[in-house]
């Protein structure tokens, strides 16, 4: 038995050594793009802040800039926002070189209950935010809306200027997406697909009137086999008409979303496809050896 335990201990060391060393702390400060910005919800307790920092792996960065988002920021970026709103969802934003696109990662998925990676991505594109890795976290179940306001603030802190009309429309888009998923029972991924496809059509066909936008909306609802109430359908048409008037180029939105998985692999690395075959063979050889001891 002692011999088997010794082998088991050695086995753990060997397999650990076989794992690719991709997940390591980022100790380099990017002097061109700046350090990651961590945006904390103003209503977090000290213990909750520490929990969020752990989830966002703040300690793995050489330096970060930490800011707080509160109800006053909500009013600044969202028309009609409530300055007394409680803010819990938080985010870490790491700028990337132009053309890298968006990588969204909700690191506490059980605690962000209404907003998905794709919903954040489409709303951020509407607001004019591109080329960043955004990680979202919360210490307890929340909808996830305040993280978007925090992302807006982080961008302005880093020197960007956001159009408040665009951020307001982006917030309405996020609200509508979560409404469809919650009240209409539409799958969250299906909602994100619907918004993306409609905006692709707007970018490709450049509708000149609200009636043309309405046709695009109706066509996509039919294509994706999604049924909305008349009130919700009208809300969607009104939102997309506002987006049309913003004159945003959404032609590359779908491409960015489809490239999201690839971008994540590029940033965090992926295991060599042959790695697990090597592990499997190692175990097979080891067990054959162990069996031979008892013959």
């Amino acid at each position: 038995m002692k011999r088997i335990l010794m082998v088991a201990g050695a086995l753990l060391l060997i397999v650990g050594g076989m794992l690719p060393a991709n997940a390591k702390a980022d100790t380099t400060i990017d002097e061109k793009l700046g350090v990651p910005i961590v945006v904390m919800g103003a209503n977090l307790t000290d213990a909750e802040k520490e929990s969020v920092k752990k989830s966002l792996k703040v300690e793995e960065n050489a330096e970060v800039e930490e800011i707080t988002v509160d109800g006053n920021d909500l009013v600044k970026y969202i028309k009609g926002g409530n300055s007394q709103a409680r803010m819990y969802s938080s985010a870490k934003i790491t700028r990337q070189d132009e053309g890298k696109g968006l990588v969204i990662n909700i690191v506490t998925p059980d605690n962000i209950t209404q907003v998905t990676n794709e919903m954040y991505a489409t709303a951020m594109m509407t607001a004019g935010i591109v080329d960043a890795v955004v990680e979202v976290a919360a210490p307890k179940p929340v909808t996830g809306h305040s993280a978007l306001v925090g992302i807006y603030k982080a961008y302005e802190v880093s020197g960007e200027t956001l159009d408040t009309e665009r951020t307001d429309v982006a917030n309405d888009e996020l609200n509508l997406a979560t409404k469809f998923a919650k009240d209409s029972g539409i799958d969250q991924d299906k909602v994100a697909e619907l918004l993306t496809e409609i905006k692709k059509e707007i970018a490709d066909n450049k509708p000149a009137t609200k009636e043309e936008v309405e046709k695009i909306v109706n066509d996509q609802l039919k294509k994706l086999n999604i049924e909305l109430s008349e009130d919700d359908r009208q809300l969607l048409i009104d939102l997309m008409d506002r987006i049309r008037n913003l004159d945003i180029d959404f032609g590359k939105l779908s491409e960015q979303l489809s490239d999201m998985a690839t971008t994540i692999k590029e940033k965090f690395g992926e295991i060599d496809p042959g790695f697990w075959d090597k592990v499997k063979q190692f175990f097979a050889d080891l067990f054959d050896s162990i069996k031979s001891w008892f013959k």
Side-chain angles (χ1 to χ4, degrees), residues 97-169:
D97 287 318
E98 184 177 352
K100 284 289 187 179
L102 285 172
V103 177
I104 315 294
N105 184 21
I106 299 175
V107 298
T108 57
D110 290 341
N111 288 339
I112 303 296
T113 64
Q114 292 188 10
V115 186
T116 66
N117 292 334
E118 291 77 16
M119 289 178 185
Y120 278 125
T122 57
M124 288 170 63
M125 284 292 294
T126 300
I129 297 173
V130 294
D131 303 320
V133 175
V134 179
E135 297 157 281
V136 180
K140 54 190 173 186
V142 296
T143 62
H145 288 77
S146 67
L148 189 60
V149 178
I151 293 165
Y152 296 159
K153 184 173 183 178
Y155 259 69
E156 296 220 314
V157 165
S158 67
E160 298 286 343
T161 299
L162 295 175
D163 183 339
T164 54
E165 178 64 24
R166 289 181 66 165
T167 59
D168 183 58
V169 172

Side-chain angles (χ1 to χ4, degrees), residues 15 18-20 271-280:
V15 173
M18 292 172 69
L19 284 166
I271 293 175
D272 177 1
F275 169 75
W276 294 114
D277 290 334
K278 296 173 186 175
V279 172
K280 182 179 178 182

Side-chain angles (χ1 to χ4, degrees), residues 30-188:
D30 193 322
E31 296 179 312
K32 181 177 72 170
L33 299 176
V35 299
I37 298 177
V38 176
V39 190
M40 309 291 283
N43 296 103
L44 295 172
T45 65
D46 289 342
E48 288 172 338
K49 287 180 181 178
E50 290 306 312
S51 174
V52 166
K53 288 180 181 179
K54 184 175 180 180
S55 296
L56 295 173
K57 298 182 179 180
V58 171
E59 74 283 354
E60 293 188 2
N61 296 103
E63 289 184 18
V64 299
E65 181 173 357
E66 185 177 323
I67 61 176
T68 301
V69 60
D70 59 24
N72 292 323
D73 298 305
L74 183 63
V75 172
K76 176 181 179 181
Y77 296 108
I78 310 298
K79 292 178 182 177
N82 178 10
S83 63
Q84 302 303 312
R86 301 184 69 78
M87 316 287 271
Y88 293 102
S89 52
S90 306
K92 181 170 75 173
I93 299 91
T94 306
R95 300 291 298 274
Q96 296 199 108
D97 287 318
E98 184 177 352
K100 284 289 187 179
L102 285 172
V103 177
I104 315 294
N105 184 21
I106 299 175
V107 298
T108 57
D110 290 341
N111 288 339
I112 303 296
T113 64
Q114 292 188 10
V115 186
T116 66
N117 292 334
E118 291 77 16
M119 289 178 185
Y120 278 125
T122 57
M124 288 170 63
M125 284 292 294
T126 300
I129 297 173
V130 294
D131 303 320
V133 175
V134 179
E135 297 157 281
V136 180
K140 54 190 173 186
V142 296
T143 62
H145 288 77
S146 67
L148 189 60
V149 178
I151 293 165
Y152 296 159
K153 184 173 183 178
Y155 259 69
E156 296 220 314
V157 165
S158 67
E160 298 286 343
T161 299
L162 295 175
D163 183 339
T164 54
E165 178 64 24
R166 289 181 66 165
T167 59
D168 183 58
V169 172
N171 185 71
D172 285 349
E173 178 182 342
L174 191 62
N175 286 338
L176 197 60
T178 55
K179 179 184 188 307
F180 289 167
K182 181 182 178 182
D183 297 341
S184 300
I186 305 172
D187 181 80
Q188 291 175 317

